[in-house]
């Protein structure tokens, strides 16, 4: 039921709860990493006020369900989670993206205690206060400076903005989360510094459109570390690159100003990794999606980026079966993938989203055609990825260890984001532990993963 946070004070918190009778809150967190950050902020505030987290429904005084409201399948999952929490506990507070459809939730679940939308941290906490009055004397020291997180101790998501200014025909994120709202750079950097001080080895920078960061606040400069940095994508990358840990950029649109961060990647200041949602390659489909439709220019930009940073890995996601997609459009996508030679690719079969303009487009693609195109795209990309990864064999690379067991260590390279990309498997794991960074020599590769051996002593390895 509950996603248990990685809180080094959890044992002390449980002991304090037994003595003081602190109220207990359960949490179900669904959706994307941005929603996960919202859950972390909610829990951080509640823990600061003396609330304890419950790992089970029956041990909770109330349950917060942080929902996803993007795809219809995600909405159904969220509604099922609400129903389960009501059945098992009976006292449920709903928040998150599905919260914008409060009438739908109330109609199906009239007994929920409160409903709030995304990013409504104060409203969620106030609803908890109403349902379960907070402890008389909050134990503020139970909350570590970096807050409560649900990720392993050695990596953390760093959300730099909310909302989105795009009007993609298949998406309702701007309606759910509003227009772009960037955080001040100094605020982002203070959080990054706290996380690094707590032993975090990797920051995963997230938003709806990371490369648009600062547009809404006029790229207002902030003082940090004795100098001024503009609140822009390149300014933030430069500031984060001075922290001394891995920095990985997600949800980047290929705007021309992204070129400015490639020298930082080449110098090792931030990871040589860009997560760019290209979505398709056919100009006709991209136009129907209301996405940029200059894929030839994108190929030129990829070539220029690789000239600036030869180790660059680009991952992307694509949609097959978009309304009106023809076999010619799909063949153009396959050809583009062959030319782009992306390191990592994910694929989705198009699915209608309630309220999205794409629902009304003609020439819907049959489900069996979507499935067939999905299989063909993944087969094509597997061959490309296998070839790209084979070029890593024999090279010595830096990795960070995620897990260690009796069979060895599971690590990741500069080119692997947690849970969505591949792994680096190390058989000789003596002395290693999660969070260690070390150099390793690649001995074998598949279409997704690498195998490696430690390159001598792990001198300079970083431990959390």
């Amino acid at each position: 039921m509950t996603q248990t946070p990685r809180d080094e004070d959890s044992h002390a918190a449980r002991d304090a709860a037994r003595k003081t009778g602190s109220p207990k809150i359960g949490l179900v967190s669904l959706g994307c990493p941005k929603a996960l950050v919202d859950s972390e902020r909610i829990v951080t505030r509640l823990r600061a006020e003396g609330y304890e987290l419950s790992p089970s429904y029956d041990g909770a005084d109330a349950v917060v369900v942080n929902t996803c409201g993007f795809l219809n399948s995600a909405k159904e999952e969220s509604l099922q989670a609400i129903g389960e929490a009501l059945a098992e506990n009976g006292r449920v507070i709903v928040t998150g993206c599905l919260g914008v459809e409060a009438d739908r939730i109330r109609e199906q679940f009239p007994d929920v205690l409160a409903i709030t939308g995304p990013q409504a941290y104060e409203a969620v906490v106030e609803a908890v206060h109403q349902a379960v009055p907070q402890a008389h004397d909050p134990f503020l020291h139970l909350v570590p400076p970096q807050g409560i997180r649900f990720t392993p101790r050695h990596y953390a998501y760093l959300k730099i903005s909310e909302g989105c200014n795009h009007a993609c025909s298949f998406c309702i994120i701007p309606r759910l989360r509003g227009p772009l709202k960037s955080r001040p750079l100094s605020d982002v950097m203070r959080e990054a510094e706290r996380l690094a001080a707590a032993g975090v080895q990797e920051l995963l920078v997230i938003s709806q459109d990371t490369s648009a960061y600062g547009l809404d606040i006029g790229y207002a400069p902030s003082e940090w570390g004795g100098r001024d940095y503009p609140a822009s994508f390149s300014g933030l990358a430069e500031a984060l690159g001075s922290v001394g840990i891995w920095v990985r950029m997600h949800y980047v649109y290929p705007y021309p100003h992204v070129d400015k961060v490639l020298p930082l990647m080449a110098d090792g200041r931030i990871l040589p990794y860009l997560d760019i949602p290209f979505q398709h390659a056919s100009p006709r489909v991209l136009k129907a999606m209301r996405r940029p439709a200059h894929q030839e220019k994108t190929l030129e930009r990829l070539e220029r980026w690789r000239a600036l940073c030869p180790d660059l890995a680009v991952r992307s996601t694509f949609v097959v079966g978009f309304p009106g997609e023809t076999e010619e459009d799909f063949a153009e996508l396959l050809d583009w993938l062959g030319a782009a030679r992306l390191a990592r690719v994910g694929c989705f079969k198009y699915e209608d989203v309630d309220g999205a303009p794409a629902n009304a487009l003609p020439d819907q693609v049959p489900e069996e055609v979507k499935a067939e195109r999905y299989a063909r795209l993944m087969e094509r990309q597997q061959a490309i990825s296998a070839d790209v990864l084979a070029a890593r064999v024999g090279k010595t690379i830096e990795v960070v260890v995620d897990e260690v067991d009796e069979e060895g260590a599971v690590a990741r390279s500069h080119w692997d984001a947690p849970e969505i990309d591949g792994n680096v498997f190390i058989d000789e794991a003596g002395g290693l532990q999660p969070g260690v960074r070390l150099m390793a020599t690649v001995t074998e590769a598949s279409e997704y993963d690498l195998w490696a051996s430690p390159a001598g002593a792990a001198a300079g390895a970083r431990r959390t």
Side-chain angles (χ1 to χ4, degrees):
M1 186 276 294
T2 304
Q3 293 192 23
T4 303
R6 317 286 176 138
D7 180 3
E8 59 267 34
D9 292 325
S10 58
H11 294 295
R14 282 197 295 271
D15 292 342
R18 293 190 189 101
K19 294 175 183 177
T20 64
S22 299
K24 297 180 177 62
I25 302 298
L27 176 74
V28 178
S29 187
L30 306 173
C32 64
K34 293 174 283 296
L36 186 71
V37 171
D38 293 343
S39 294
E40 290 173 342
R41 291 176 177 173
I42 292 167
V43 170
T44 296
R45 172 71 180 274
L46 291 174
R47 284 295 308 276
E49 293 181 349
Y51 290 87
E52 171 63 359
L53 290 184
S54 171
S56 63
Y57 287 116
D58 57 6
D61 298 302
V63 176
V64 176
V65 180
N66 190 2
T67 61
C68 180
F70 185 31
L71 298 174
N72 288 340
S73 55
K75 292 181 181 182
E76 287 303 318
E77 181 184 8
S78 294
L79 290 170
Q80 290 174 10
I82 295 168
E84 178 181 311
L86 279 170
E88 296 292 333
N89 181 274
R91 295 171 59 77
V92 176
I93 296 163
V94 177
T95 188
C97 287
L98 189 60
V100 300
E101 298 185 38
D103 292 342
R104 176 180 180 180
I105 296 171
R106 286 284 183 199
E107 181 178 357
Q108 189 166 345
F109 304 111
D111 294 329
V112 295
L113 300 177
I115 302 172
T116 74
Q119 309 155 42
Y121 313 120
E122 297 295 330
V124 175
V125 172
E126 181 57 32
V128 172
H129 290 169
Q130 293 294 323
V132 187
Q134 63 198 98
H136 178 65
D137 287 316
F139 288 88
L140 298 178
H141 64 276
L142 293 180
V143 179
Q146 73 275 16
I148 308 299
R149 295 183 294 110
F150 298 119
T151 52
R153 293 181 62 189
H154 61 281
Y155 68 80
Y157 292 104
L158 181 66
K159 185 158 62 170
I160 63 173
S161 64
E162 303 283 1
C164 182
N165 287 344
H166 293 285
C168 302
S169 63
F170 54 84
C171 182
I172 59 171
I173 292 296
R175 191 183 79 186
L176 293 176
R177 291 185 170 263
L180 177 70
K181 300 184 188 70
S182 300
R183 298 172 61 191
L185 184 140
S186 57
D187 185 24
V188 175
M189 292 307 302
R190 280 192 294 270
E191 181 177 354
E193 199 171 42
R194 288 194 299 270
L195 290 167
V200 167
Q201 294 297 306
E202 178 179 8
L203 295 173
L204 300 113
V205 179
I206 58 170
S207 67
Q208 292 300 142
D209 181 358
T210 297
S211 42
Y213 171 70
L215 175 65
D216 58 309
I217 56 176
Y219 308 113
S222 292
E223 192 279 331
W224 186 81
R227 59 166 289 189
D228 286 338
Y229 290 91
S232 65
F233 178 60
S234 57
L236 180 62
E238 185 176 3
L240 289 171
S242 68
V243 176
I245 60 178
W246 284 13
V247 176
R248 190 180 300 278
M249 295 294 188
H250 286 273
Y251 311 119
V252 176
Y253 281 66
Y255 303 136
H257 67 258
V258 174
D259 295 8
K260 296 179 181 179
V261 307
L262 270 297
L264 297 174
M265 294 180 177
D267 291 342
R269 300 275 299 279
I270 64 174
L271 293 180
Y273 178 100
L274 285 173
D275 173 14
I276 302 176
F278 289 120
Q279 307 295 12
H280 213 280
S282 163
R284 201 179 65 82
V285 174
L286 288 167
K287 184 177 180 180
M289 289 179 167
R290 300 179 187 170
R291 303 279 295 183
H294 302 291
Q295 295 306 83
E296 296 83 2
K297 291 184 179 179
T298 301
L299 287 175
E300 294 173 3
R301 182 162 290 129
L302 285 171
E303 184 177 353
R304 184 165 65 252
W305 287 349
R306 287 165 176 155
L308 291 169
C309 181
D311 280 340
L312 176 68
V314 177
R315 91 165 315 275
S316 189
T317 52
F318 295 88
V319 176
V320 296
F322 191 80
E325 181 192 58
T326 64
E327 183 60 29
E328 290 74 20
D329 293 322
F330 180 69
E332 189 167 1
L333 171 56
L334 293 183
D335 289 343
W336 190 89
L337 281 174
R341 292 182 58 78
L342 303 181
R344 306 291 191 186
V345 165
C347 182
F348 297 93
K349 290 171 281 189
Y350 172 76
E351 180 181 333
D352 279 343
V353 176
D354 285 348
N359 299 357
L361 291 175
D363 302 320
Q364 296 282 326
V365 178
E367 290 301 320
E368 60 271 19
V369 175
K370 294 179 188 178
E372 185 265 345
R373 290 177 181 172
Y374 171 88
R376 287 164 61 193
L377 186 147
M378 294 308 296
E379 182 179 7
R380 172 68 62 88
Q381 180 58 35
Q382 283 172 355
I384 295 169
S385 296
D387 192 39
V388 170
L389 291 185
R392 310 282 188 201
V393 175
K395 294 186 176 180
T396 298
I397 62 175
E398 186 184 27
V399 300
V400 62
V401 176
D402 283 340
E403 302 174 25
V404 178
D405 59 25
E406 63 277 3
E407 296 183 359
V410 180
R412 289 178 294 105
S413 73
H414 290 182
W415 312 290
D416 304 312
E419 299 186 353
I420 57 175
D421 293 327
N423 294 305
V424 180
F425 296 101
I426 301 174
D427 292 334
E428 306 160 34
L432 298 181
Q433 60 180 306
V436 167
R437 284 164 47 190
L438 71 153
M439 304 304 293
T441 301
V442 180
T443 58
E444 187 180 346
S446 71
E447 64 268 32
Y448 296 118
D449 303 311
L450 299 174
W451 284 258
S453 298
R462 299 279 299 274
R463 297 177 183 269
T464 58

